[in-house]
Amino acid sequence: MSDDPNIETAESDLARHAEKMAKKKAARDKIMATKTGEKGLIIVHTGKGKGKSSAAFGMIFRHIAHGKKCAVVQFIKGAMSTGERDLILRHFSDLCEFHTMGEGFTWETQDKARDIAMAKAAWEKAKELIRDPANSMVLLDEVNIAIRYDYIDLAEVLEFLATEKPPMTHVVLTGRNAKDELIELADLVTEMELVKHPFRSGIKAQIGVEY
Amino acid sequence: MSDDPNIETAESDLARHAEKMAKKKAARDKIMATKTGEKGLIIVHTGKGKGKSSAAFGMIFRHIAHGKKCAVVQFIKGAMSTGERDLILRHFSDLCEFHTMGEGFTWETQDKARDIAMAKAAWEKAKELIRDPANSMVLLDEVNIAIRYDYIDLAEVLEFLATEKPPMTHVVLTGRNAKDELIELADLVTEMELVKHPFRSGIKAQIGVEY
């Protein structure tokens, strides 16, 4: 201990901190020791905020980093997420299959019959990829939009996930307005909430941020 | 037009849909035409939900995909996000500088003095990377935790971002409990809200999902 009372206070402050943190760590370790299970998760990213797709692609990149096979089906947003698609096709196509079935939002195409056909084809591809046990994760990007417009049938999606998804396969479903029944079935649900958006100040979608 | 009344109804339904969507597209195009600005954004990902870091890494991968220079400083969570770090170091170190300054949460280390020194060093590195106009995006991963524990000074962070960030550089700040003043300064804020988490059912952190 020092003779300087300020230093002594600082030292006892650090000691108190270490003790408090040791207790926190013990409590946390005890909780974590009960978390021993592993299973393939049904993961939903929904809400009006940003980051639904990019957080999902973050998990896809984690899979790629660990050398685990995965796949992506883009249901609607053909025009966005082009950065991730290019990167995966260019560098990691051996680990990650990539299918873009839509070509932009429906008000861009104005052809409902075509949109429905696209969505149904994407869902068939998704089922095939999920059934393949080689895939550790399958991302169904913007599938919630296709479900919401009834382009694909919610009941069929729920039944397929509940009965045919291999137990260790993670399936990630993104898009606004996720159905309550899907949230009910899912293991991990995050709602991305919009707090502040630069569009309001006249800033456009920018390279490397939005796409 | 067909003689079958059902087919006729289906056709007029599709025509109505096309007309409605054309109106939507016109309205949307008009709004988007007013969004012409470009600027380097201050982006905050906060909240208790998942996806704060992985959505940020998604934007980093978008930058990499477009061949734009970027950088990452991990403030606290040395043990997590290892997948992204490995992938970037292995494949894209020419485009993305990566610095991990912390070695896990503070209750893991139990050494406040060391944690403070680490956080301060990380902040110095962050300033250097942000000042370098070659970097189009700099990610300060988990910096909100360092600010919250007063390991680095909020006022200094705010002043630096407001006065020294080059106008076209994007800075992304992640972590729970983002300070109100930071949210006030930011251009784009998303709160990741926890709706459902598999830890509650005894499932542990899994490869490719959490790290």
Side-chain angles (χ1 to χ4, degrees), chain A residues 17 25 28 35 37-39 62-63 65 83-84 107-108 110 112 183-184 186 189 191 193 195-196 199 202 204 206 208-210, chain B residues 17 25 28 35 37-39 62-63 65 83-84 107-108 110 112 183-184 186 189-191 193 195-196 199 202 204 206 208-210:
Chain A
H17 175 85
K25 177 169 161 55
R28 191 167 176 273
K35 313 299 181 192
E38 284 200 335
K39 68 179 266 202
R62 286 179 180 175
H63 267 71
E84 290 92 337
W107 54 78
E108 293 290 344
Q110 301 166 39
K112 190 177 178 180
I183 288 173
E184 186 57 39
V189 180
E191 173 143 354
E193 200 190 318
V195 179
K196 210 174 187 184
F199 275 23
K204 68 177 182 183
Q206 292 179 92
V209 179
E210 263 88 9
Chain B
H17 175 85
K25 179 170 160 56
R28 190 167 176 272
K35 314 298 181 194
E38 284 200 337
K39 68 179 266 201
R62 286 179 179 173
H63 267 72
E84 291 91 337
W107 55 79
E108 293 290 344
Q110 301 165 40
K112 191 177 177 181
I183 289 173
E184 185 56 39
V189 180
T190 308
E191 174 143 354
E193 200 190 317
V195 179
K196 210 174 190 184
F199 275 21
K204 68 178 181 182
Q206 293 178 91
V209 178
E210 263 88 8

Short mmCIF file of all heavy atoms in Angstrom, two decimals, chain A residues 17 25 28 35 37-39 62-63 65 83-84 107-108 110 112 183-184 186 189 191 193 195-196 199 202 204 206 208-210, chain B residues 17 25 28 35 37-39 62-63 65 83-84 107-108 110 112 183-184 186 189-191 193 195-196 199 202 204 206 208-210:
data_model
loop_
_atom_site.label_atom_id
_atom_site.label_comp_id
_atom_site.label_asym_id
_atom_site.label_seq_id
_atom_site.Cartn_x
_atom_site.Cartn_y
_atom_site.Cartn_z
N HIS A 17 -13.41 -3.75 -7.28
CA HIS A 17 -13.86 -4.06 -8.63
C HIS A 17 -13.54 -5.53 -8.96
O HIS A 17 -14.39 -6.26 -9.47
CB HIS A 17 -13.17 -3.14 -9.65
CG HIS A 17 -13.49 -3.47 -11.08
ND1 HIS A 17 -14.61 -3.01 -11.71
CD2 HIS A 17 -12.84 -4.25 -11.98
CE1 HIS A 17 -14.63 -3.47 -12.95
NE2 HIS A 17 -13.57 -4.23 -13.15
N LYS A 25 -18.49 -13.24 -12.48
CA LYS A 25 -18.00 -14.33 -13.33
C LYS A 25 -18.48 -15.68 -12.79
O LYS A 25 -18.92 -16.54 -13.56
CB LYS A 25 -16.47 -14.29 -13.40
CG LYS A 25 -15.88 -15.45 -14.23
CD LYS A 25 -14.40 -15.23 -14.51
CE LYS A 25 -13.69 -16.50 -14.91
NZ LYS A 25 -14.28 -17.21 -16.06
N ARG A 28 -22.08 -16.09 -13.62
CA ARG A 28 -22.26 -16.30 -15.04
C ARG A 28 -21.80 -17.71 -15.44
O ARG A 28 -22.49 -18.40 -16.21
CB ARG A 28 -21.44 -15.25 -15.80
CG ARG A 28 -21.76 -15.21 -17.26
CD ARG A 28 -21.17 -13.96 -17.91
NE ARG A 28 -21.42 -14.00 -19.34
CZ ARG A 28 -20.61 -14.60 -20.20
NH1 ARG A 28 -19.51 -15.20 -19.80
NH2 ARG A 28 -20.90 -14.60 -21.50
N LYS A 35 -26.12 -24.47 -19.83
CA LYS A 35 -26.44 -24.35 -21.27
C LYS A 35 -25.54 -25.31 -22.03
O LYS A 35 -24.45 -24.95 -22.47
CB LYS A 35 -26.19 -22.93 -21.77
CG LYS A 35 -26.75 -21.81 -20.90
CD LYS A 35 -28.25 -21.89 -20.76
CE LYS A 35 -28.74 -20.74 -19.90
NZ LYS A 35 -30.14 -20.92 -19.49
N GLY A 37 -26.93 -27.76 -24.31
CA GLY A 37 -27.58 -28.34 -25.48
C GLY A 37 -27.07 -27.75 -26.78
O GLY A 37 -26.57 -26.63 -26.82
N GLU A 38 -27.21 -28.53 -27.84
CA GLU A 38 -26.96 -28.02 -29.18
C GLU A 38 -28.12 -28.44 -30.04
O GLU A 38 -28.60 -29.57 -29.94
CB GLU A 38 -25.67 -28.61 -29.77
CG GLU A 38 -24.41 -28.02 -29.20
CD GLU A 38 -23.20 -28.25 -30.11
OE1 GLU A 38 -23.23 -29.21 -30.89
OE2 GLU A 38 -22.25 -27.47 -30.02
N LYS A 39 -28.62 -27.54 -30.88
CA LYS A 39 -29.63 -27.95 -31.84
C LYS A 39 -29.64 -26.98 -33.00
O LYS A 39 -29.12 -25.85 -32.89
CB LYS A 39 -31.02 -28.03 -31.18
CG LYS A 39 -31.61 -26.70 -30.76
CD LYS A 39 -32.99 -26.85 -30.13
CE LYS A 39 -34.11 -26.68 -31.13
NZ LYS A 39 -35.40 -26.32 -30.50
N ARG A 62 -19.86 -16.39 -40.77
CA ARG A 62 -19.30 -17.18 -39.67
C ARG A 62 -19.22 -18.65 -40.07
O ARG A 62 -18.22 -19.33 -39.81
CB ARG A 62 -20.17 -17.03 -38.41
CG ARG A 62 -19.97 -15.69 -37.75
CD ARG A 62 -20.83 -15.50 -36.51
NE ARG A 62 -20.55 -14.16 -35.98
CZ ARG A 62 -21.18 -13.60 -34.97
NH1 ARG A 62 -22.14 -14.24 -34.35
NH2 ARG A 62 -20.85 -12.39 -34.56
N HIS A 63 -20.29 -19.15 -40.69
CA HIS A 63 -20.25 -20.53 -41.16
C HIS A 63 -19.10 -20.75 -42.14
O HIS A 63 -18.35 -21.72 -42.04
CB HIS A 63 -21.59 -20.90 -41.81
CG HIS A 63 -22.53 -21.53 -40.84
ND1 HIS A 63 -23.13 -20.83 -39.83
CD2 HIS A 63 -22.92 -22.82 -40.69
CE1 HIS A 63 -23.87 -21.66 -39.11
NE2 HIS A 63 -23.76 -22.86 -39.62
N ALA A 65 -16.41 -19.04 -42.43
CA ALA A 65 -15.13 -18.93 -41.72
C ALA A 65 -14.76 -20.24 -41.03
O ALA A 65 -13.59 -20.60 -40.95
CB ALA A 65 -15.20 -17.80 -40.69
N GLY A 83 -23.66 -6.93 -52.58
CA GLY A 83 -22.29 -7.03 -52.09
C GLY A 83 -22.00 -8.42 -51.56
O GLY A 83 -21.04 -9.07 -51.97
N GLU A 84 -22.86 -8.88 -50.65
CA GLU A 84 -22.66 -10.22 -50.07
C GLU A 84 -22.69 -11.28 -51.15
O GLU A 84 -21.89 -12.22 -51.14
CB GLU A 84 -23.75 -10.53 -49.04
CG GLU A 84 -23.67 -9.73 -47.77
CD GLU A 84 -24.51 -8.47 -47.83
OE1 GLU A 84 -24.79 -7.98 -48.95
OE2 GLU A 84 -24.89 -7.97 -46.76
N TRP A 107 -43.54 -3.95 -56.29
CA TRP A 107 -43.96 -2.72 -56.99
C TRP A 107 -42.95 -2.31 -58.07
O TRP A 107 -43.23 -1.45 -58.87
CB TRP A 107 -44.22 -1.57 -56.01
CG TRP A 107 -43.10 -1.25 -55.09
CD1 TRP A 107 -41.97 -0.56 -55.37
CD2 TRP A 107 -43.00 -1.62 -53.72
NE1 TRP A 107 -41.17 -0.48 -54.28
CE2 TRP A 107 -41.78 -1.11 -53.24
CE3 TRP A 107 -43.84 -2.33 -52.86
CZ2 TRP A 107 -41.38 -1.31 -51.92
CZ3 TRP A 107 -43.42 -2.51 -51.55
CH2 TRP A 107 -42.21 -2.01 -51.10
N GLU A 108 -41.79 -2.97 -58.05
CA GLU A 108 -40.85 -2.73 -59.15
C GLU A 108 -41.24 -3.56 -60.37
O GLU A 108 -41.03 -3.14 -61.50
CB GLU A 108 -39.42 -3.10 -58.72
CG GLU A 108 -38.82 -2.21 -57.64
CD GLU A 108 -38.51 -0.79 -58.13
OE1 GLU A 108 -38.46 -0.56 -59.35
OE2 GLU A 108 -38.32 0.08 -57.27
N GLN A 110 -44.43 -5.26 -60.92
CA GLN A 110 -45.82 -5.09 -61.34
C GLN A 110 -46.38 -6.29 -62.08
O GLN A 110 -47.20 -6.15 -62.97
CB GLN A 110 -45.95 -3.82 -62.21
CG GLN A 110 -45.51 -2.59 -61.44
CD GLN A 110 -45.29 -1.39 -62.34
OE1 GLN A 110 -46.04 -1.17 -63.28
NE2 GLN A 110 -44.28 -0.60 -62.05
N LYS A 112 -47.82 -9.78 -60.77
CA LYS A 112 -48.07 -10.64 -59.63
C LYS A 112 -47.89 -12.12 -59.97
O LYS A 112 -47.33 -12.88 -59.18
CB LYS A 112 -49.50 -10.39 -59.12
CG LYS A 112 -49.80 -11.06 -57.79
CD LYS A 112 -51.21 -10.70 -57.34
CE LYS A 112 -51.58 -11.39 -56.04
NZ LYS A 112 -52.95 -11.04 -55.63
N ILE A 183 -43.00 -16.84 -35.35
CA ILE A 183 -42.29 -16.41 -34.14
C ILE A 183 -42.49 -17.44 -33.03
O ILE A 183 -41.57 -17.76 -32.28
CB ILE A 183 -42.76 -15.00 -33.73
CG1 ILE A 183 -42.21 -13.98 -34.75
CG2 ILE A 183 -42.33 -14.65 -32.31
CD1 ILE A 183 -42.71 -12.57 -34.58
N GLU A 184 -43.71 -17.96 -32.96
CA GLU A 184 -44.03 -18.99 -31.97
C GLU A 184 -43.15 -20.23 -32.16
O GLU A 184 -42.60 -20.77 -31.20
CB GLU A 184 -45.53 -19.35 -32.13
CG GLU A 184 -46.08 -20.31 -31.10
CD GLU A 184 -45.89 -19.81 -29.68
OE1 GLU A 184 -46.04 -18.59 -29.44
OE2 GLU A 184 -45.56 -20.64 -28.83
N ALA A 186 -40.23 -20.39 -33.74
CA ALA A 186 -38.79 -20.12 -33.79
C ALA A 186 -38.12 -20.27 -32.43
O ALA A 186 -38.76 -20.21 -31.38
CB ALA A 186 -38.56 -18.70 -34.32
N VAL A 189 -35.45 -15.11 -31.93
CA VAL A 189 -36.14 -14.06 -32.69
C VAL A 189 -35.58 -12.70 -32.30
O VAL A 189 -35.52 -12.37 -31.11
CB VAL A 189 -37.66 -14.08 -32.43
CG1 VAL A 189 -38.36 -12.98 -33.24
CG2 VAL A 189 -38.26 -15.44 -32.76
N GLU A 191 -36.02 -8.56 -33.18
CA GLU A 191 -36.75 -7.51 -33.90
C GLU A 191 -35.81 -6.31 -34.05
O GLU A 191 -35.36 -5.74 -33.07
CB GLU A 191 -38.00 -7.12 -33.12
CG GLU A 191 -38.69 -5.92 -33.73
CD GLU A 191 -40.21 -6.00 -33.67
OE1 GLU A 191 -40.74 -7.04 -33.24
OE2 GLU A 191 -40.84 -5.01 -34.05
N GLU A 193 -35.40 -2.72 -34.60
CA GLU A 193 -36.30 -1.58 -34.46
C GLU A 193 -35.63 -0.33 -35.02
O GLU A 193 -34.47 -0.05 -34.72
CB GLU A 193 -36.60 -1.39 -32.97
CG GLU A 193 -37.84 -0.59 -32.69
CD GLU A 193 -37.92 -0.25 -31.20
OE1 GLU A 193 -37.63 -1.14 -30.37
OE2 GLU A 193 -38.26 0.91 -30.89
N VAL A 195 -34.73 3.26 -35.07
CA VAL A 195 -34.70 4.38 -34.14
C VAL A 195 -34.51 5.68 -34.92
O VAL A 195 -35.13 6.69 -34.62
CB VAL A 195 -33.58 4.19 -33.08
CG1 VAL A 195 -33.53 5.37 -32.13
CG2 VAL A 195 -33.79 2.89 -32.31
N LYS A 196 -33.68 5.63 -35.94
CA LYS A 196 -33.32 6.84 -36.68
C LYS A 196 -32.81 6.41 -38.05
O LYS A 196 -32.03 5.47 -38.15
CB LYS A 196 -32.16 7.51 -35.92
CG LYS A 196 -32.08 9.00 -36.03
CD LYS A 196 -30.98 9.48 -35.09
CE LYS A 196 -30.93 10.96 -35.00
NZ LYS A 196 -29.81 11.40 -34.15
N PHE A 199 -32.59 8.47 -44.40
CA PHE A 199 -33.50 8.84 -45.49
C PHE A 199 -34.29 10.09 -45.12
O PHE A 199 -34.60 10.91 -45.97
CB PHE A 199 -34.49 7.71 -45.77
CG PHE A 199 -33.97 6.66 -46.70
CD1 PHE A 199 -32.61 6.47 -46.86
CD2 PHE A 199 -34.83 5.84 -47.42
CE1 PHE A 199 -32.11 5.49 -47.71
CE2 PHE A 199 -34.34 4.86 -48.28
CZ PHE A 199 -32.99 4.69 -48.42
N GLY A 202 -32.80 13.13 -46.30
CA GLY A 202 -32.52 13.24 -47.73
C GLY A 202 -31.29 12.49 -48.19
O GLY A 202 -30.78 12.73 -49.28
N LYS A 204 -29.47 9.23 -49.60
CA LYS A 204 -29.89 8.05 -50.37
C LYS A 204 -29.18 6.78 -49.89
O LYS A 204 -28.26 6.84 -49.09
CB LYS A 204 -29.61 8.29 -51.85
CG LYS A 204 -28.13 8.34 -52.22
CD LYS A 204 -27.97 8.49 -53.74
CE LYS A 204 -26.49 8.50 -54.11
NZ LYS A 204 -26.28 8.70 -55.55
N GLN A 206 -26.58 4.02 -49.83
CA GLN A 206 -25.19 4.18 -50.22
C GLN A 206 -24.46 2.84 -50.32
O GLN A 206 -24.75 1.92 -49.57
CB GLN A 206 -24.48 5.10 -49.20
CG GLN A 206 -24.97 6.53 -49.25
CD GLN A 206 -24.29 7.43 -48.22
OE1 GLN A 206 -23.29 8.05 -48.50
NE2 GLN A 206 -24.84 7.45 -47.02
N GLY A 208 -21.99 -0.05 -49.87
CA GLY A 208 -21.28 -0.54 -48.69
C GLY A 208 -22.09 -0.42 -47.42
O GLY A 208 -21.76 -1.03 -46.41
N VAL A 209 -23.16 0.34 -47.46
CA VAL A 209 -24.04 0.44 -46.29
C VAL A 209 -25.32 -0.33 -46.56
O VAL A 209 -25.62 -1.31 -45.89
CB VAL A 209 -24.36 1.91 -45.93
CG1 VAL A 209 -25.29 1.99 -44.75
CG2 VAL A 209 -23.07 2.68 -45.66
N GLU A 210 -26.06 0.12 -47.58
CA GLU A 210 -27.34 -0.54 -47.91
C GLU A 210 -27.19 -1.72 -48.86
O GLU A 210 -28.07 -2.55 -48.96
CB GLU A 210 -28.33 0.44 -48.53
CG GLU A 210 -29.32 1.01 -47.54
CD GLU A 210 -28.77 2.24 -46.86
OE1 GLU A 210 -27.71 2.74 -47.30
OE2 GLU A 210 -29.39 2.71 -45.90
N HIS B 17 -53.98 -5.56 -59.79
CA HIS B 17 -52.73 -5.63 -59.02
C HIS B 17 -51.64 -4.82 -59.72
O HIS B 17 -50.93 -4.03 -59.09
CB HIS B 17 -52.29 -7.09 -58.85
CG HIS B 17 -50.96 -7.24 -58.18
ND1 HIS B 17 -50.81 -7.26 -56.81
CD2 HIS B 17 -49.70 -7.36 -58.68
CE1 HIS B 17 -49.53 -7.39 -56.51
NE2 HIS B 17 -48.83 -7.46 -57.63
N LYS B 25 -45.22 2.19 -57.24
CA LYS B 25 -43.87 2.42 -57.77
C LYS B 25 -43.65 3.89 -58.10
O LYS B 25 -42.61 4.47 -57.77
CB LYS B 25 -43.64 1.56 -59.01
CG LYS B 25 -42.25 1.77 -59.64
CD LYS B 25 -41.96 0.73 -60.71
CE LYS B 25 -40.87 1.16 -61.68
NZ LYS B 25 -39.61 1.52 -61.02
N ARG B 28 -43.19 5.74 -54.90
CA ARG B 28 -41.91 5.43 -54.29
C ARG B 28 -40.76 6.10 -55.07
O ARG B 28 -39.84 6.66 -54.49
CB ARG B 28 -41.72 3.91 -54.28
CG ARG B 28 -40.55 3.47 -53.46
CD ARG B 28 -40.58 1.97 -53.22
NE ARG B 28 -39.38 1.56 -52.51
CZ ARG B 28 -38.25 1.24 -53.10
NH1 ARG B 28 -38.14 1.28 -54.41
NH2 ARG B 28 -37.19 0.89 -52.37
N LYS B 35 -34.02 11.72 -52.46
CA LYS B 35 -32.91 11.23 -51.64
C LYS B 35 -31.66 11.19 -52.50
O LYS B 35 -31.35 10.18 -53.13
CB LYS B 35 -33.18 9.83 -51.10
CG LYS B 35 -34.57 9.61 -50.52
CD LYS B 35 -34.84 10.48 -49.32
CE LYS B 35 -36.23 10.19 -48.76
NZ LYS B 35 -36.66 11.21 -47.81
N GLY B 37 -28.61 12.88 -51.48
CA GLY B 37 -27.40 13.18 -50.74
C GLY B 37 -26.54 11.95 -50.47
O GLY B 37 -27.05 10.83 -50.44
N GLU B 38 -25.26 12.18 -50.29
CA GLU B 38 -24.36 11.13 -49.81
C GLU B 38 -23.54 11.73 -48.69
O GLU B 38 -23.11 12.88 -48.76
CB GLU B 38 -23.41 10.69 -50.93
CG GLU B 38 -24.06 9.81 -51.96
CD GLU B 38 -23.03 9.00 -52.76
OE1 GLU B 38 -21.87 9.44 -52.83
OE2 GLU B 38 -23.39 7.95 -53.30
N LYS B 39 -23.35 10.95 -47.63
CA LYS B 39 -22.44 11.41 -46.59
C LYS B 39 -21.98 10.21 -45.79
O LYS B 39 -22.60 9.14 -45.83
CB LYS B 39 -23.11 12.45 -45.68
CG LYS B 39 -24.23 11.92 -44.81
CD LYS B 39 -24.82 13.00 -43.91
CE LYS B 39 -24.19 13.02 -42.54
NZ LYS B 39 -25.04 13.69 -41.52
N ARG B 62 -19.83 -5.95 -47.12
CA ARG B 62 -20.30 -5.20 -48.30
C ARG B 62 -19.19 -4.29 -48.81
O ARG B 62 -18.95 -4.19 -50.01
CB ARG B 62 -21.54 -4.37 -47.95
CG ARG B 62 -22.78 -5.23 -47.81
CD ARG B 62 -24.02 -4.45 -47.44
NE ARG B 62 -25.14 -5.38 -47.36
CZ ARG B 62 -26.36 -5.09 -46.94
NH1 ARG B 62 -26.64 -3.86 -46.54
NH2 ARG B 62 -27.29 -6.01 -46.91
N HIS B 63 -18.52 -3.61 -47.89
CA HIS B 63 -17.40 -2.77 -48.30
C HIS B 63 -16.33 -3.59 -49.01
O HIS B 63 -15.83 -3.21 -50.07
CB HIS B 63 -16.80 -2.05 -47.09
CG HIS B 63 -17.39 -0.70 -46.88
ND1 HIS B 63 -18.67 -0.52 -46.42
CD2 HIS B 63 -16.89 0.54 -47.11
CE1 HIS B 63 -18.93 0.77 -46.37
NE2 HIS B 63 -17.87 1.43 -46.78
N ALA B 65 -16.67 -6.39 -50.50
CA ALA B 65 -17.19 -6.86 -51.80
C ALA B 65 -17.05 -5.80 -52.87
O ALA B 65 -16.80 -6.10 -54.04
CB ALA B 65 -18.66 -7.27 -51.65
N GLY B 83 -15.15 -15.84 -35.98
CA GLY B 83 -15.37 -16.28 -37.36
C GLY B 83 -15.07 -15.17 -38.34
O GLY B 83 -14.26 -15.33 -39.26
N GLU B 84 -15.69 -14.01 -38.12
CA GLU B 84 -15.47 -12.88 -39.02
C GLU B 84 -13.99 -12.48 -39.04
O GLU B 84 -13.43 -12.19 -40.08
CB GLU B 84 -16.29 -11.66 -38.59
CG GLU B 84 -17.79 -11.81 -38.77
CD GLU B 84 -18.47 -12.35 -37.54
OE1 GLU B 84 -17.80 -13.00 -36.72
OE2 GLU B 84 -19.69 -12.13 -37.41
N TRP B 107 -15.85 -9.16 -16.64
CA TRP B 107 -15.96 -10.13 -15.56
C TRP B 107 -15.15 -11.40 -15.85
O TRP B 107 -14.98 -12.23 -14.98
CB TRP B 107 -17.41 -10.47 -15.22
CG TRP B 107 -18.23 -10.93 -16.37
CD1 TRP B 107 -18.23 -12.17 -16.92
CD2 TRP B 107 -19.17 -10.16 -17.09
NE1 TRP B 107 -19.11 -12.21 -17.96
CE2 TRP B 107 -19.71 -11.00 -18.09
CE3 TRP B 107 -19.61 -8.84 -17.00
CZ2 TRP B 107 -20.66 -10.54 -19.00
CZ3 TRP B 107 -20.57 -8.41 -17.90
CH2 TRP B 107 -21.08 -9.25 -18.87
N GLU B 108 -14.69 -11.52 -17.09
CA GLU B 108 -13.78 -12.63 -17.39
C GLU B 108 -12.36 -12.29 -16.95
O GLU B 108 -11.60 -13.16 -16.55
CB GLU B 108 -13.78 -12.95 -18.89
CG GLU B 108 -15.09 -13.51 -19.43
CD GLU B 108 -15.39 -14.93 -18.95
OE1 GLU B 108 -14.49 -15.61 -18.45
OE2 GLU B 108 -16.56 -15.33 -19.07
N GLN B 110 -11.36 -9.57 -14.74
CA GLN B 110 -11.26 -9.13 -13.35
C GLN B 110 -10.07 -8.23 -13.09
O GLN B 110 -9.49 -8.24 -12.03
CB GLN B 110 -11.22 -10.35 -12.41
CG GLN B 110 -12.48 -11.20 -12.57
CD GLN B 110 -12.32 -12.58 -11.96
OE1 GLN B 110 -11.72 -12.69 -10.89
NE2 GLN B 110 -12.84 -13.58 -12.59
N LYS B 112 -9.49 -4.35 -13.74
CA LYS B 112 -10.03 -3.10 -14.27
C LYS B 112 -8.95 -2.22 -14.89
O LYS B 112 -9.15 -1.63 -15.95
CB LYS B 112 -10.74 -2.34 -13.16
CG LYS B 112 -11.58 -1.17 -13.65
CD LYS B 112 -12.31 -0.51 -12.48
CE LYS B 112 -13.11 0.70 -12.91
NZ LYS B 112 -13.77 1.33 -11.76
N ILE B 183 -26.72 8.54 -29.62
CA ILE B 183 -27.89 8.32 -30.48
C ILE B 183 -28.32 9.65 -31.11
O ILE B 183 -28.68 9.70 -32.28
CB ILE B 183 -29.02 7.66 -29.67
CG1 ILE B 183 -28.62 6.21 -29.36
CG2 ILE B 183 -30.36 7.73 -30.38
CD1 ILE B 183 -29.55 5.47 -28.44
N GLU B 184 -28.24 10.70 -30.32
CA GLU B 184 -28.58 12.04 -30.79
C GLU B 184 -27.68 12.44 -31.96
O GLU B 184 -28.15 12.93 -32.99
CB GLU B 184 -28.42 13.02 -29.62
CG GLU B 184 -28.85 14.44 -29.87
CD GLU B 184 -30.30 14.54 -30.34
OE1 GLU B 184 -31.16 13.78 -29.82
OE2 GLU B 184 -30.54 15.34 -31.25
N ALA B 186 -25.95 10.43 -33.94
CA ALA B 186 -25.88 9.45 -35.03
C ALA B 186 -26.88 9.76 -36.15
O ALA B 186 -27.87 10.46 -35.95
CB ALA B 186 -26.13 8.05 -34.48
N VAL B 189 -29.69 4.66 -36.54
CA VAL B 189 -29.67 3.93 -35.27
C VAL B 189 -30.65 2.77 -35.35
O VAL B 189 -31.82 2.96 -35.69
CB VAL B 189 -30.05 4.84 -34.08
CG1 VAL B 189 -30.03 4.06 -32.77
CG2 VAL B 189 -29.13 6.05 -34.00
N THR B 190 -30.17 1.57 -35.05
CA THR B 190 -31.06 0.42 -34.98
C THR B 190 -30.94 -0.21 -33.60
O THR B 190 -29.84 -0.40 -33.10
CB THR B 190 -30.70 -0.63 -36.05
OG1 THR B 190 -30.64 -0.01 -37.32
CG2 THR B 190 -31.75 -1.74 -36.10
N GLU B 191 -32.10 -0.48 -33.02
CA GLU B 191 -32.12 -1.18 -31.74
C GLU B 191 -32.50 -2.63 -31.99
O GLU B 191 -33.60 -2.91 -32.49
CB GLU B 191 -33.13 -0.52 -30.79
CG GLU B 191 -33.29 -1.31 -29.50
CD GLU B 191 -33.48 -0.44 -28.29
OE1 GLU B 191 -33.38 0.80 -28.40
OE2 GLU B 191 -33.72 -1.00 -27.21
N GLU B 193 -33.88 -5.79 -30.71
CA GLU B 193 -34.69 -6.12 -29.55
C GLU B 193 -34.78 -7.63 -29.42
O GLU B 193 -35.05 -8.33 -30.40
CB GLU B 193 -36.08 -5.52 -29.75
CG GLU B 193 -36.88 -5.37 -28.48
CD GLU B 193 -38.32 -5.00 -28.80
OE1 GLU B 193 -38.54 -4.14 -29.69
OE2 GLU B 193 -39.22 -5.57 -28.17
N VAL B 195 -36.52 -10.84 -28.75
CA VAL B 195 -37.89 -11.33 -28.65
C VAL B 195 -37.90 -12.73 -28.02
O VAL B 195 -38.74 -13.05 -27.20
CB VAL B 195 -38.57 -11.35 -30.04
CG1 VAL B 195 -39.99 -11.88 -29.95
CG2 VAL B 195 -38.57 -9.95 -30.65
N LYS B 196 -36.91 -13.52 -28.39
CA LYS B 196 -36.89 -14.91 -27.95
C LYS B 196 -35.45 -15.40 -28.07
O LYS B 196 -34.79 -15.12 -29.06
CB LYS B 196 -37.76 -15.73 -28.94
CG LYS B 196 -38.42 -16.94 -28.36
CD LYS B 196 -39.32 -17.51 -29.43
CE LYS B 196 -40.21 -18.59 -28.90
NZ LYS B 196 -41.01 -19.19 -29.97
N PHE B 199 -31.10 -19.60 -25.21
CA PHE B 199 -30.47 -19.83 -23.91
C PHE B 199 -31.52 -20.22 -22.87
O PHE B 199 -31.27 -21.01 -21.98
CB PHE B 199 -29.75 -18.56 -23.41
CG PHE B 199 -28.36 -18.42 -23.95
CD1 PHE B 199 -27.96 -19.10 -25.09
CD2 PHE B 199 -27.43 -17.62 -23.31
CE1 PHE B 199 -26.67 -18.97 -25.59
CE2 PHE B 199 -26.14 -17.48 -23.80
CZ PHE B 199 -25.75 -18.15 -24.93
N GLY B 202 -31.91 -23.74 -22.50
CA GLY B 202 -30.73 -24.54 -22.18
C GLY B 202 -29.81 -24.80 -23.36
O GLY B 202 -28.95 -25.68 -23.30
N LYS B 204 -26.70 -23.83 -25.70
CA LYS B 204 -25.49 -23.03 -25.53
C LYS B 204 -25.16 -22.24 -26.81
O LYS B 204 -25.77 -22.45 -27.86
CB LYS B 204 -24.33 -23.93 -25.16
CG LYS B 204 -23.88 -24.87 -26.26
CD LYS B 204 -22.66 -25.69 -25.78
CE LYS B 204 -22.18 -26.62 -26.90
NZ LYS B 204 -21.05 -27.45 -26.47
N GLN B 206 -23.49 -21.48 -30.13
CA GLN B 206 -23.09 -22.49 -31.11
C GLN B 206 -22.23 -21.89 -32.22
O GLN B 206 -22.42 -20.74 -32.62
CB GLN B 206 -24.34 -23.15 -31.71
CG GLN B 206 -25.10 -23.98 -30.69
CD GLN B 206 -26.37 -24.61 -31.27
OE1 GLN B 206 -26.35 -25.71 -31.77
NE2 GLN B 206 -27.45 -23.87 -31.22
N GLY B 208 -20.83 -20.81 -35.63
CA GLY B 208 -21.50 -20.34 -36.85
C GLY B 208 -22.73 -19.50 -36.55
O GLY B 208 -23.23 -18.80 -37.42
N VAL B 209 -23.22 -19.55 -35.32
CA VAL B 209 -24.36 -18.70 -34.95
C VAL B 209 -23.87 -17.56 -34.08
O VAL B 209 -23.97 -16.40 -34.44
CB VAL B 209 -25.45 -19.51 -34.23
CG1 VAL B 209 -26.61 -18.62 -33.81
CG2 VAL B 209 -25.95 -20.65 -35.11
N GLU B 210 -23.31 -17.92 -32.91
CA GLU B 210 -22.84 -16.90 -31.97
C GLU B 210 -21.40 -16.46 -32.22
O GLU B 210 -20.99 -15.41 -31.76
CB GLU B 210 -22.94 -17.37 -30.53
CG GLU B 210 -24.20 -16.90 -29.82
CD GLU B 210 -25.34 -17.87 -30.04
OE1 GLU B 210 -25.09 -18.96 -30.60
OE2 GLU B 210 -26.48 -17.54 -29.67
#
